[in-house]
Amino acid sequence: MKLFLTIILYFYLTLFNIHSIASEEQFDQDKIKIGVLVPLSGENKEIGISILNSVRMAITNIDDKKIEIYPKDNKSNPKLTFIGAKQLESEGINLVIGPVFHENLKALDKVQNLTFISLTNKTNNIPNNVISLGVNATSQINTIINFLKKQNLKKTIFLIPKTNYESEIRNSIIKTNYNFSKIYTYDINPTELTSQIQQISSFNQRKRNLETRIKMLENSDDYSSKNELKKLEKMYTLGDVNFDSVVIAGFDENLKSVINSFLFSDVSSEKVKFIVLNQWFDSFFFKEDSLNKIYFPSINYKNFESYRKTYYKKFGVYPINISILSYDAFGLSYFFLKQDKENIKKNLLNKKNTYLGKIGKFSIENKKTIHDLSMYQIINQKFKNLN
């Protein structure tokens, strides 16, 4: 059995001044250079600025004047990403936080002297010198499967929208070796979507069941039949659906449309459990009654809220949610650069350590991050941790 080392990045960042007293001699005296390759202009500049601010916030928690960060603006453009990477390489940097988006990774394998900690949550076609730090589909689906088993839910259907991340979701499902009852691909067009959900939930058949039963009871005079008839007249359908839970890989308005289509088809959270992917504790869910009681996997909520409050106090605005990843990316970068800057790629990509950061516990394996997530439920405008 391999022994995994747990490295607590959070405490490494906040309490480094204590550790440095005992171990200063083992560290190189050279500057610690870390690149930050993110969009600082263009349509995604808010994301890049939030990430850069998060890195600066992490730096303030370390009493080390040798740290230097080198921000580069890639404008979310693959060509500019490559140019920025080459510039960072020429400036003697070997570890970079970023890029954010998967499409910007394309040419980075040509800059072999650099190792990148990308914030993307996609894990397909990752270059050999890139680590995907994002909360990926595999981590989320594994957490959901554990939840299904604990809840003894054995008839789960999985709904995947026709989007550019469909293959990512399907590949992640295959890797789990878990047998969902059925996997559907649904159309994001609202008109087509409603029709599909009605088919999935056998809405028309359940509606006919109700109409047939009502006709049978209408001509009956006995007391029990009349009571049953009164109850049925308040119902929309009759009969159970053939699933006990639904996993929906949708977000924002699309997710809302899917849930509402189920409600229109007379399938509510009272009948089945609705489970979605990581939603970053978006308050959007509090505004929609239909989204109450849904379940989702995510990072450590207490740490997330603490991070948001600290960020707001420092910068006067709340951070973009994924920027919390850059806080841990910096902690990871700093730790490995202090330990052995000459073997960054080997140590980061090959050593199977476990880390504890703001986002919670995670490990890195085969260039992707495996997150130890928790399951949450939205109850009365609150996020309830179910672990």
Side-chain angles (χ1 to χ4, degrees), residues 44-75:
N44 294 310
K45 68 177 182 180
E46 288 186 7
I47 297 175
I49 291 171
S50 191
I51 288 169
L52 186 56
N53 284 343
S54 181
V55 169
R56 287 169 173 158
M57 194 167 75
I59 290 173
T60 61
N61 289 326
I62 302 177
D63 184 19
D64 193 335
K65 296 179 180 179
K66 293 183 294 181
I67 298 171
E68 290 183 351
I69 59 170
Y70 292 72
K72 298 292 181 184
D73 180 12
N74 70 349
K75 300 182 188 291

Side-chain angles (χ1 to χ4, degrees), residues 217-274:
L217 296 173
E218 283 178 334
N219 297 322
S220 178
D221 292 327
D222 66 272
Y223 180 77
S224 61
S225 295
K226 288 183 178 181
N227 277 346
E228 183 182 350
L229 182 60
K230 287 181 180 179
K231 293 179 181 179
L232 292 178
E233 287 174 342
K234 297 178 182 179
M235 297 170 61
Y236 298 101
T237 62
L238 181 64
D240 296 326
V241 293
N242 61 354
F243 49 89
D244 55 20
S245 46
V246 183
V247 180
I248 307 167
F251 300 91
D252 303 322
E253 290 298 325
N254 171 249
L255 175 60
K256 177 183 170 183
S257 295
V258 176
I259 298 290
N260 285 334
S261 293
F262 272 108
L263 292 176
F264 184 79
S265 302
D266 197 28
V267 181
S268 68
S269 58
E270 305 300 324
K271 297 181 179 180
V272 304
K273 294 188 185 301
F274 289 105

